[in-house]
Amino acid sequence: MYEFLATLTLIIHFLFILFVIFGALLFFIKPWILYFHIPAFLYGVYVELTQSICPLTYIENYFLTKANLASYSTSFIQNYLYAIIYPINLTKEIQISLAIALLIINGIIYGFIIKRKKF
């Protein structure tokens, strides 16, 4: 049960990261999504620039500990999702580059939103 909860939390973490990166695109379907995306986007930039740890990481670790596991037993989760969320050799410089990429991607998306003036 705890491993399932850890895996579920990891999947939610992955989906949140995708939302932070590309969530502004959902504006073209539901304009109100920006009320959720802007804070998530700002939090994502903050985490990358300050090398903070997302609270979802603590929840994942809690569930893994409760399951008496050091890592995920499913190879797909361990090899792909985990590796994307927690890359090996993540340095401060890489995190700053990720924050810049996040700003650029979202700057482009928000530029299209402003250009379309769909407020």
Side-chain angles (χ1 to χ4, degrees):
M1 177 66 171
Y2 287 115
E3 183 178 7
F4 169 76
L5 291 172
T7 302
L8 181 62
T9 306
L10 185 76
I11 291 168
I12 291 168
H13 199 168
F14 178 70
L15 293 174
F16 179 74
I17 291 168
L18 288 178
F19 179 70
V20 167
I21 299 169
F22 302 110
L25 290 172
L26 296 173
F27 168 83
F28 297 106
I29 299 169
K30 299 286 184 185
W32 52 263
I33 201 74
L34 294 186
Y35 294 113
F36 298 98
H37 182 260
I38 291 171
F41 160 70
L42 293 173
Y43 179 73
V45 171
Y46 169 80
V47 167
E48 292 301 329
L49 291 177
T50 63
Q51 291 80 50
S52 298
I53 297 174
C54 179
L56 290 170
T57 300
Y58 295 116
I59 296 170
E60 291 166 33
N61 291 337
Y62 171 79
F63 287 136
L64 283 174
T65 301
K66 288 296 234 177
N68 293 320
L69 295 171
S71 65
Y72 293 92
S73 62
T74 307
S75 61
F76 174 81
I77 297 293
Q78 185 65 35
N79 292 331
Y80 296 101
L81 286 185
Y82 190 84
I84 291 169
I85 296 171
Y86 306 108
I88 299 172
N89 301 324
L90 184 64
T91 64
K92 182 178 182 178
E93 291 78 20
I94 292 172
Q95 283 187 285
I96 290 171
S97 297
L98 291 172
I100 292 168
L102 184 58
L103 288 165
I104 291 170
I105 290 168
N106 278 276
I108 291 168
I109 296 169
Y110 278 100
F112 281 115
I113 290 171
I114 291 167
K115 185 177 179 183
R116 290 188 135 194
K117 296 180 185 176
K118 288 197 168 190
F119 288 102

